[in-house]
Amino acid sequence: MTSAVEVSAQRLRERGERVTPARLAVVEVLAGTEEHLSAEQIGERAEQLRPGIHRATVYRALDALGEFGLVTHVHLGRAGTTYHLAGDLAPRHLHLRCSECGTVYDAPGDILESARKKLARDLGFHLAPEQVALVGTCNNCH
């Protein structure tokens, strides 16, 4: 099985983009966790993986990988913005954030599929719920 790092490197090459240590470190960090990591946390872990990589370089790598469709981000409200691998590099999922305790949960990516289809059919609107956290209360706080 090909790793997310190898696939990302290949896709960067196909686009004529540079395959840099910082870009690979970002993908490696994201591929190695199911946590919802901030840019700062990704920077810290990337520096541990590849000592000598500057944090600002990691932030630029995150931006570039986002532009190339390899990484995406989710706005979690008070919890800030978190990043994860995009497309076929990671399982499609949605984010649920409890408005009481702030816990973020992952939900199956197809859970809103009927609503997505209805909005597209009836209103011509193409929903992208992967970009935000759906807010409600969890079982513990309800």
Side-chain angles (χ1 to χ4, degrees), residues 91-95 106-113 116 129-130:
R92 184 172 157 227
H93 64 281
L94 304 179
H95 298 89
D106 287 343
D110 62 352
I111 203 163
L112 294 178
E113 199 57 35
R116 185 191 305 253
E130 297 89 358

Side-chain angles (χ1 to χ4, degrees), residues 69-123:
L70 298 172
V71 170
T72 189
H73 63 277
V74 178
H75 301 284
L76 298 176
R78 291 181 299 192
T81 300
T82 64
Y83 295 81
H84 56 84
L85 296 176
D88 61 349
L89 294 176
R92 184 172 157 227
H93 64 281
L94 304 179
H95 298 89
L96 311 174
R97 182 177 58 82
C98 178
S99 60
E100 297 296 318
C101 67
T103 301
V104 177
Y105 300 92
D106 287 343
D110 62 352
I111 203 163
L112 294 178
E113 199 57 35
S114 62
R116 185 191 305 253
K117 287 178 182 176
K118 183 168 178 45
L119 287 168
R121 182 183 65 242
D122 296 354
L123 302 174

